[in-house]
Amino acid sequence: MPSIVALIYSSEFDERNYGALCKSRPDYMLPFGGRYRVIDFALSNVTNHDISRVVLYANRMMRSTLDHIGNGKSWELNRRNGGLLINPPKYSSKENLSEIETYYDTIRYFEDHKSDYIFINNPMYINKVDITDAKETMESNDLDCLIFSTKTEDTDGYYLNRRIISSDEDGKPSSVGLNLGLSDQIDLFLGSIMIKRDLFLRILRMAMERDSQMSFLNALFTFASDMKIDFYRHNKEFEIITDINSFFDANMKLLNRADFDQLFYEDGLVYTKSKDEPSTSYTKESSTKNSLIANGSIIRGNVENSIIFRGVSIGKGAVVKNSIIFQDSVISDGAILNYAITDKGTYVGKDTRLFGNRSHPYVTAKDEELEKGI
């Protein structure tokens, strides 16, 4: 779809919300679902809708991004014309650029490529929005912008402090705010905006001139009061990851087969970097229940309600429950883990115990070594 340029940027990332998990990687590169990364959903969705020009704004910690994504071949984005552009972060006296400053830094790219629309996507909002139908909706209704949301009830406060879109008396988007639990039914923002390219450029310039520190969504409502804007409501499975707890919950939901199938198989497949590894080996003394276990692992102990990534070794008599074990971790004989997240290459020694709970899982650092008594 040459008329659309996709812009992928994790604009709400705060390293402090992820503890040790984001000391060496950005949030969009977090492992997910046994063999994927969070970014795979955003890249796969634009590919499934035939968008061949994609700009990914990389974090300062770029090694994992370049290693996993490369030239975009796994998503058929290694094109001679267009394809994937990984834009490196701009190093300045400021620690981090704002969202508006980040986009403005590449404004020449959007000026040069004469697309009709810009599709802005935050990869930490995991969903498969119908980009093709959204474009047709904009064309048929002569709209300037669509904001992707879901109409949902939040009586339990699960989406507290998440961004919501308020409506005017005609039911059109009027402003952005935070969900404080004052309304049971809300329009929850799903991290995506489709906007005409000319309007996108105009908002960027005006925001840079008057208040470069605001988000693009705030700038949209501040500087484009004369535009024709509407909701594009998504009513299928989605996840929003903003911290360790939401990351843990989003992974654990995949243990429900219906949720897994809807997120991974409906409305297009999810692609990732392929790795040739042998099938997982299960010994006679091993036991597994309600778990996702990737290839290349060796299971000698007991695994229950857990997600095990590639190349993990779980020793004899070890117990892993309600946990997420990243790639190449070693869980030694007799170790017990419950509500734990072990980062890549973690070594858990013999008879070591690691316990957390659902709201505060125990998290290890990459390549950390833990022995009994720690």
Side-chain angles (χ1 to χ4, degrees):
M1 206 183 304
S3 61
I4 299 177
V5 172
L7 181 163
I8 300 175
Y9 177 52
S10 179
S11 57
E12 302 171 36
F13 176 46
D14 187 341
E15 181 183 323
R16 296 169 296 181
N17 292 339
Y18 294 92
L21 294 182
C22 287
K23 293 296 183 183
S24 60
R25 64 170 72 88
D27 54 348
Y28 62 82
M29 285 305 301
L30 282 168
F32 188 80
R35 55 188 296 266
Y36 299 87
R37 302 273 187 154
V38 170
I39 190 64
D40 293 341
F41 288 87
L43 293 176
S44 298
N45 198 42
V46 296
T47 296
N48 289 333
H49 287 278
D50 198 29
I51 295 176
S52 58
R53 195 177 293 279
V54 180
V55 182
L56 170 63
Y57 290 90
N59 183 272
R60 294 174 185 269
M61 298 174 286
M62 286 188 62
R63 191 200 62 79
S64 60
T65 300
L66 297 175
D67 176 66
H68 180 74
I69 300 174
N71 64 357
K73 181 179 179 180
S74 298
W75 300 269
E76 297 184 354
L77 290 172
N78 54 330
R79 308 289 185 93
R80 178 171 295 179
N81 294 311
L84 175 68
L85 168 66
I86 298 179
N87 190 71
K90 180 178 181 179
Y91 290 88
S92 67
S93 57
K94 293 176 60 176
E95 183 176 349
N96 292 300
L97 297 181
S98 69
E99 183 180 5
I100 290 292
E101 290 171 325
T102 298
Y103 299 159
Y104 189 80
D105 188 51
T106 54
I107 194 170
R108 183 65 181 270
Y109 178 91
F110 300 103
E111 291 173 336
D112 290 345
H113 298 292
K114 305 300 182 181
S115 61
D116 297 323
Y117 302 100
I118 306 294
F119 175 67
I120 302 172
N121 178 234
N122 185 331
M124 303 313 293
Y125 292 72
I126 298 177
N127 52 55
K128 294 178 179 177
V129 294
D130 193 334
I131 304 171
T132 303
D133 184 63
K135 174 179 174 289
E136 292 172 354
T137 298
M138 288 192 69
E139 292 175 339
S140 61
N141 294 286
D142 191 27
L143 296 172
D144 295 311
C145 179
L146 280 177
I147 295 180
F148 292 72
S149 70
T150 184
K151 198 82 169 179
T152 184
E153 292 186 356
D154 192 32
T155 54
D156 297 329
Y158 186 76
Y159 299 115
L160 283 175
N161 296 316
R162 301 287 169 82
R163 290 196 288 180
I164 57 174
I165 309 299
S166 298
S167 306
D168 60 21
E169 57 186 14
D170 296 321
K172 304 298 183 182
S174 60
S175 63
V176 58
L178 292 180
N179 177 28
L180 300 181
L182 303 180
S183 301
D184 289 340
Q185 192 172 70
I186 57 175
D187 255 304
L188 183 68
F189 179 56
L190 287 183
S192 296
I193 300 169
M194 186 174 287
I195 185 170
K196 287 183 176 179
R197 183 184 70 97
D198 292 344
L199 179 58
F200 172 77
L201 295 174
R202 176 160 66 92
I203 290 173
L204 277 188
R205 295 187 183 104
M206 295 180 71
M208 277 297 295
E209 185 175 83
R210 302 182 190 181
D211 186 359
S212 64
Q213 298 307 302
M214 65 172 58
S215 70
F216 186 83
L217 192 57
N218 285 111
L220 190 63
F221 290 110
T222 302
F223 301 119
S225 58
D226 57 336
M227 69 180 173
K228 295 177 67 176
I229 181 172
D230 209 343
F231 289 103
Y232 188 88
R233 292 192 171 98
H234 177 79
N235 299 312
K236 296 188 178 180
E237 186 70 17
F238 69 92
E239 297 294 340
I240 305 175
I241 297 176
T242 58
D243 52 27
I244 286 178
N245 291 344
S246 55
F247 171 74
F248 185 82
D249 288 344
N251 274 275
M252 288 295 113
K253 285 182 181 179
L254 299 179
L255 298 179
N256 181 306
R257 185 56 185 262
D259 290 341
F260 181 92
D261 288 347
Q262 188 175 30
L263 198 59
F264 280 93
Y265 296 125
E266 292 186 12
D267 303 312
L269 297 177
V270 179
Y271 309 102
T272 190
K273 179 182 178 181
S274 61
K275 294 185 178 180
D276 295 326
E277 294 188 70
S279 300
T280 290
S281 172
Y282 301 87
T283 63
K284 291 182 179 180
E285 63 268 21
S286 68
S287 172
T288 59
K289 180 180 179 182
N290 191 38
S291 297
L292 289 176
I293 301 179
N295 53 328
S297 297
I298 301 175
I299 311 299
R300 302 184 182 89
N302 305 298
V303 179
E304 182 177 347
N305 299 329
S306 295
I307 297 177
I308 310 298
F309 283 76
R310 294 181 174 109
V312 169
S313 174
I314 297 180
K316 186 182 298 185
V319 177
V320 178
K321 295 182 64 176
N322 308 306
S323 296
I324 304 171
I325 311 300
F326 284 5
Q327 182 178 336
D328 295 333
S329 292
V330 175
I331 313 301
S332 301
D333 295 351
I336 300 177
L337 283 72
N338 195 11
Y339 289 107
I341 303 174
T342 67
D343 205 338
K344 182 178 179 181
T346 294
Y347 176 84
V348 180
K350 184 177 180 180
D351 297 325
T352 300
R353 271 64 167 153
L354 303 180
F355 293 99
N357 56 57
R358 188 163 193 113
S359 59
H360 294 90
Y362 188 104
V363 180
T364 74
K366 184 177 179 181
D367 296 324
E368 185 172 357
E369 296 185 8
L370 298 163
E371 298 289 352
K372 185 177 180 181
I374 294 180

